[in-house]
């Protein structure tokens, strides 16, 4: 009769204990967005010109500021230019009204919508865009979005 190998619980606990400190580093920002914001105590926000729902924008910026202990520096501009800047890392965040199926979906990471228009075909959604790959920063902004918006919490 072949004996099945038995799992030694002590080895399993030891292995898990040794791997646990590595989890603190996840998720990571390859371009160090979160670390830069903490160091500088400031994050740069591009606000798309003509964005409505200013109170919702202010709530989101306040929530991100509270979570990072940093203050926002807001610049305004055209959608395309601001999204190019965030994708290059020159801005930390862009807030504006974007179509649900934005062609920028592959170039930037969009957070959950804070508010949507009533249009059925291609609704405009007020949301934040961040640089792709900056996962710690993206998660922080997504959590802040959900904290200030019932619509974002439902996503």
């Amino acid at each position: 009769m072949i004996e099945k190998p038995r799992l030694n619980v002590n080895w399993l606990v030891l292995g898990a204990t040794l791997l646990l400190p590595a989890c603190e580093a996840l998720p990571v920002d390859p371009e160090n967005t979160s670390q830069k914001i903490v160091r500088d105590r400031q994050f740069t926000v591009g606000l798309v010109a003509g964005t409505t729902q200013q109170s919702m924008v202010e709530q989101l910026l306040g929530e991100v500021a509270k979570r990072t202990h940093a203050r926002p520096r807001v610049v305004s501009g055209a959608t395309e230019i601001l999204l190019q800047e965030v994708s290059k890392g020159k801005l930390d965040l862009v807030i504006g009204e974007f179509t649900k199926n934005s062609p920028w979906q592959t170039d930037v990471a969009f957070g959950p919508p804070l508010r949507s228009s009533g249009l059925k075909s291609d609704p405009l959604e007020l949301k934040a865009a961040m640089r792709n790959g900056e996962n710690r920063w993206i998660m922080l902004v997504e959590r802040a979005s959900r904290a200030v918006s019932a619509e974002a919490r439902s996503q």
Side-chain angles (χ1 to χ4, degrees):
M1 183 169 171
I2 299 175
E3 192 173 316
K4 292 182 182 177
R6 292 186 1 199
L7 180 64
N8 186 327
V9 175
N10 291 336
W11 285 110
L12 184 63
V13 170
L14 177 62
T17 303
L18 292 174
L19 291 174
L20 194 58
C23 294
E24 184 179 323
L26 297 174
V28 296
D29 287 349
E31 300 299 327
N32 300 313
T33 300
S34 297
Q35 295 90 330
K36 178 185 70 77
I37 290 168
V38 168
R39 181 189 70 230
D40 298 345
R41 294 185 183 190
Q42 176 176 286
F43 57 101
T44 308
V45 181
L47 181 62
V48 174
T51 298
T52 60
Q53 309 297 329
Q54 289 299 317
S55 65
M56 188 65 68
V57 171
E58 289 172 10
Q59 287 177 42
L60 176 59
L61 293 179
E63 186 65 25
V64 172
K66 182 175 84 173
R67 292 167 184 255
T68 60
H69 306 287
R71 59 181 163 61
R73 184 174 69 83
V74 180
V75 297
S76 185
T79 304
E80 298 291 318
I81 293 169
L82 295 177
L83 290 173
Q84 287 173 2
E85 296 291 298
V86 80
S87 72
K88 293 176 186 175
K90 295 180 180 178
L91 292 173
D92 300 311
L93 189 64
V94 172
I95 301 174
E97 294 167 318
F98 306 100
T99 59
K100 187 172 186 166
N101 298 313
S102 169
W104 282 88
Q105 290 180 110
T106 57
D107 298 312
V108 298
F110 284 109
L114 301 170
R115 184 158 290 151
S116 298
S117 70
L119 300 173
K120 296 288 183 201
S121 59
D122 199 11
L124 284 177
E125 298 176 330
L126 176 65
K127 56 188 171 183
M130 293 78 56
R131 186 176 191 183
N132 266 342
E134 297 299 283
N135 296 326
R136 183 175 287 201
W137 174 240
I138 291 167
M139 286 180 60
L140 184 143
V141 174
E142 286 180 350
R143 288 179 180 143
S145 296
R146 287 184 177 90
V148 301
S149 169
E151 190 166 332
R153 279 193 298 275
S154 69
Q155 298 254 323

